[in-house]
Amino acid sequence: MMIILSGFSLINWPSFVVIQIITAYEGVGWVNKAQIVRTVLIVLATILSIHFDFTLVQFFLFYSACALGPIVVILVRVQTVGLRLLDFIRPKWDWNKFREVFHYSLNLFAMAVFQLSALELQPILLGARSEIGVESVADYQIIKTISSFLVVIGGIFMQVLLPEVSKYYAKKDFEKLKKTVENGTLYITIFLSLLIFGLVLNSQEVLTLYVGTTFTNLGAWLNVALITCFYLHISAISSVVLASGKTKVIALSSAIGCVLSLILAWYMIPIMDYRAAVFAYTFYISIQMLTYYFYYIPRIMMVNSFKLFFKRVVPVFVISAVSFLLVNELFSQYSGELKPLASLVLKSILFGLIYLIMISVFLIRTSQMKPLVDLVFKKR
């Protein structure tokens, strides 16, 4: 399986470079179509593997091959923007451009390594330090898998906003840049709050449907992990940081946060088991958030961070909390009477209706959502 992974990586990894080029040409729609093709092929691979009773190695080979599906879509798009496949293969050296890109990429790479380490090294620490070992790792992985859904969604906002923000930054149009950050933060917070509070409201049902009633005790710390994903509301701000190239500070804070969070997890795991891993990652995210709100927003974007937070984020959070409490109180008396799936559907629909009505009444009009809808769904 390692040999298969290594072989396909030689083809997969260069495709990420092409994806960045397509994104720069504002071809976000094409990138999303490619991901849809990949997902459909992987689902088909899974179904066929179960039907024909493939071995694990055979399934992994089939899965890896299907993951190459987006490359076909990507190559078609590259041709339409005036680039040729030969341009990506022909050897060429430009030291000045390489040096500029290398310094920028090095900071991004360091930031990504430390961010992944803060998250992915937790199971290793759990296995080494927890008294119940494998059970703690399993508990943590269940929480991480559910919360990862939000992280994937958050990545879409960055993908959509980065080309727009980069264009404004290159043109030195700081007025539009500021407006994009403010409105983007508001719209992203609205969408994230709907998902986060909806999942928190249904955490017991989600755990029951996903892994059974045995693991419903994970509900409280699953909620902590879900609330931690609220940091994704800074996606608009992060896109400005990436567009500016001033990533050294965030890379440094990511390194410091990663080391401190892993040390914290190391000493707390014997006492708290999987809870320590969740708490340690929340600590890491808190350091990142403080870096954005106390350095990047006021110093790089020249925006009042407190005004941005209390005007664009807090009102949405309050509306979300009120909607959550109303629905939770209403359904608390019917606890145990409804089946998990029925409870999840009913609570989600009711919460969504109350939340969206309150948003449209107290915060924004429906017409004000049009810019976000156009940005995400317009054809590229």
Side-chain angles (χ1 to χ4, degrees):
M1 289 172 67
M2 289 296 293
I3 293 171
I4 293 170
L5 180 63
S6 301
F8 280 104
S9 294
L10 293 174
I11 305 172
N12 264 325
W13 286 17
S15 69
F16 288 109
V17 179
V18 186
I19 287 173
Q20 296 304 313
I21 293 171
I22 293 174
T23 303
Y25 276 94
E26 299 185 358
V28 176
W30 278 87
V31 174
N32 290 334
K33 289 173 186 176
Q35 294 306 319
I36 291 172
V37 171
R38 178 180 183 274
T39 302
V40 170
L41 289 175
I42 287 174
V43 170
L44 289 174
T46 305
I47 294 171
L48 291 173
S49 297
I50 294 171
H51 180 73
F52 292 106
D53 197 22
F54 287 175
T55 65
L56 184 58
V57 175
Q58 288 173 331
F59 165 72
F60 191 70
L61 176 63
F62 199 17
Y63 173 95
S64 300
C66 289
L68 297 178
I71 293 178
V72 178
V73 179
I74 289 168
L75 291 178
V76 171
R77 176 58 182 172
V78 164
Q79 299 288 333
T80 63
V81 297
L83 296 173
R84 298 173 300 170
L85 181 59
L86 214 60
D87 295 331
F88 298 96
I89 301 174
R90 186 189 298 115
K92 190 175 181 181
W93 183 259
D94 189 325
W95 169 249
N96 291 328
K97 289 182 180 179
F98 172 79
R99 184 174 54 185
E100 182 181 353
V101 172
F102 179 72
H103 288 158
Y104 175 74
S105 301
L106 199 60
N107 285 330
L108 289 186
F109 181 73
M111 183 174 63
V113 166
F114 287 118
Q115 186 172 358
L116 283 172
S117 297
L119 180 64
E120 302 295 345
L121 290 181
Q122 300 293 348
I124 296 175
L125 297 182
L126 282 169
R129 296 284 287 169
S130 176
E131 293 182 0
I132 54 177
V134 176
E135 292 182 27
S136 283
V137 174
D139 291 340
Y140 174 74
Q141 292 288 12
I142 290 168
I143 291 173
K144 193 184 80 169
T145 300
I146 296 172
S147 59
S148 292
F149 165 73
L150 294 173
V151 177
V152 172
I153 295 294
I156 294 174
F157 292 118
M158 178 77 74
Q159 187 185 66
V160 169
L161 287 170
L162 188 55
E164 301 288 332
V165 168
S166 298
K167 184 167 60 178
Y168 296 147
Y169 195 88
K171 293 180 178 180
K172 306 297 181 185
D173 193 342
F174 296 109
E175 190 60 36
K176 284 188 177 179
L177 203 61
K178 180 181 177 182
K179 188 176 179 181
T180 301
V181 168
E182 291 178 348
N183 291 337
T185 300
L186 174 63
Y187 296 144
I188 291 169
T189 303
I190 290 171
F191 185 73
L192 275 177
S193 295
L194 177 64
L195 293 179
I196 290 172
F197 279 89
L199 283 170
V200 169
L201 184 67
N202 293 289
S203 57
Q204 294 295 321
E205 288 82 359
V206 170
L207 285 168
T208 301
L209 292 169
Y210 180 42
V211 286
T213 56
T214 308
F215 293 91
T216 51
N217 62 303
L218 303 179
W221 284 91
L222 171 60
N223 292 340
V224 172
L226 291 172
I227 295 296
T228 300
C229 292
F230 198 70
Y231 80 91
L232 293 166
H233 77 275
I234 63 171
S235 295
I237 303 164
S238 299
S239 64
V240 176
V241 174
L242 293 178
S244 68
K246 299 174 181 178
T247 56
K248 187 179 293 184
V249 173
I250 194 64
L252 181 61
S253 73
S254 184
I256 294 171
C258 173
V259 172
L260 291 178
S261 67
L262 292 176
I263 292 173
L264 186 65
W266 178 265
Y267 285 104
M268 291 182 66
I269 283 172
I271 304 170
M272 299 177 64
D273 288 321
Y274 70 90
R275 302 171 189 86
V278 177
F279 180 78
Y281 187 67
T282 301
F283 175 79
Y284 166 79
I285 291 299
S286 300
I287 291 177
Q288 296 296 87
M289 289 285 294
L290 290 173
T291 304
Y292 276 103
Y293 272 98
F294 286 95
Y295 178 78
Y296 279 107
I297 298 176
R299 295 194 179 188
I300 303 301
M301 286 178 284
M302 303 301 175
V303 175
N304 188 317
S305 55
F306 289 98
K307 184 179 179 181
L308 179 69
F309 182 75
F310 285 102
K311 188 177 179 180
R312 302 292 181 176
V313 178
V314 171
V316 181
F317 195 85
V318 171
I319 289 173
S320 305
V322 171
S323 304
F324 170 84
L325 291 173
L326 287 173
V327 177
N328 191 56
E329 181 64 27
L330 180 63
F331 276 86
S332 61
Q333 55 188 316
Y334 299 106
S335 179
E337 296 182 15
L338 295 171
K339 291 184 178 180
L341 183 58
S343 177
L344 186 148
V345 172
L346 290 174
K347 285 199 290 187
S348 298
I349 292 173
L350 185 58
F351 171 76
L353 287 173
I354 294 174
Y355 174 77
L356 292 175
I357 289 171
M358 291 182 71
I359 287 289
S360 62
V361 171
F362 296 107
L363 203 56
I364 62 171
R365 296 185 299 273
T366 306
S367 59
Q368 290 178 291
M369 291 296 290
K370 189 176 184 300
L372 180 66
V373 174
D374 289 343
L375 183 63
V376 176
F377 294 104
K378 68 182 179 180
K379 293 183 180 181
R380 298 289 188 181

